[in-house]
Amino acid sequence: MAPRTTLVGEVLIDAAPEHVWAAIGATGRYAEWVVNTLAVTRADGPRAEPGITYDERNRIAGPWTGRSRWRVASAEAPRHTVHEGEGIALARALRLELTLTPEAAGTRYGHELSYEPTLGALGAAVGRAVRPLLARDVRSTAQNLRALVERERTG
């Protein structure tokens, strides 16, 4: 089995943790800031509370798309939430950890995506090839959240 892959994006957001929490908890808005989320196609509810599930249409790499299903495993407002996912062809045991830490007058936001590659050696090779792109997307996702929260906070 290939080792677990972990990708991290982190950014300082000029807003209180409660403002950031409101944005990351709105299940219907993920396509607005999560780079690889094209659409949220179904959600049990409007807020990402423990036990809620939601489905997405995702960009995997380039023109390759897929569908995923996520379950909110935990949510400790306004500091930490964990979402567990499935459905991406070359990854299993998807885990998304979103962490908010107060810092100065803002919030340090951490976006960590991890998964286990599938398909043995083939999956590991594909994973190595797309890892730089996925790492860039995770960093861009954190930047997108910052832009969204700061725009809405001041707008």
Side-chain angles (χ1 to χ4, degrees), residues 86-104:
E86 60 184 23
I88 302 300
L90 295 175
R92 70 173 156 250
L94 293 156
R95 182 177 172 92
L96 179 61
E97 285 195 58
L98 311 179
T99 305
L100 287 66
T101 306
E103 186 173 310

Side-chain angles (χ1 to χ4, degrees), residues 8-17 20-21 24 78-80 98-111 142-143 145-146 150:
V8 178
E10 187 176 271
V11 66
L12 182 60
I13 300 175
D14 185 18
V20 181
W21 187 261
I24 68 171
R79 59 185 193 87
H80 186 252
L98 311 179
T99 305
L100 287 66
T101 306
E103 186 173 310
T107 302
R108 172 89 30 207
Y109 171 72
H111 188 100
Q143 295 289 337
L145 178 65
R146 179 178 71 187
E150 290 179 357

Side-chain angles (χ1 to χ4, degrees), residues 67-142:
R67 296 190 178 274
S68 59
R69 169 162 283 175
W70 294 86
R71 182 183 69 82
V72 180
S74 67
E76 302 166 24
R79 59 185 193 87
H80 186 252
T81 186
V82 175
H83 300 210
E84 296 171 340
E86 60 184 23
I88 302 300
L90 295 175
R92 70 173 156 250
L94 293 156
R95 182 177 172 92
L96 179 61
E97 285 195 58
L98 311 179
T99 305
L100 287 66
T101 306
E103 186 173 310
T107 302
R108 172 89 30 207
Y109 171 72
H111 188 100
E112 180 177 302
L113 175 66
S114 64
Y115 62 91
E116 295 173 7
T118 61
L119 302 178
L122 173 62
V126 171
R128 283 190 301 276
V130 300
R131 183 183 171 101
L133 300 173
L134 293 175
R136 180 200 63 208
D137 291 347
V138 166
R139 289 189 306 270
S140 294
T141 291

Side-chain angles (χ1 to χ4, degrees), residues 35-39 41 56-68 86-91 130 134 137:
V35 171
N36 291 338
T37 299
L38 299 172
T41 58
E56 294 181 339
R57 189 167 52 84
N58 308 96
R59 175 171 288 108
I60 308 302
W64 184 24
T65 64
R67 296 190 178 274
S68 59
E86 60 184 23
I88 302 300
L90 295 175
V130 300
L134 293 175
D137 291 347

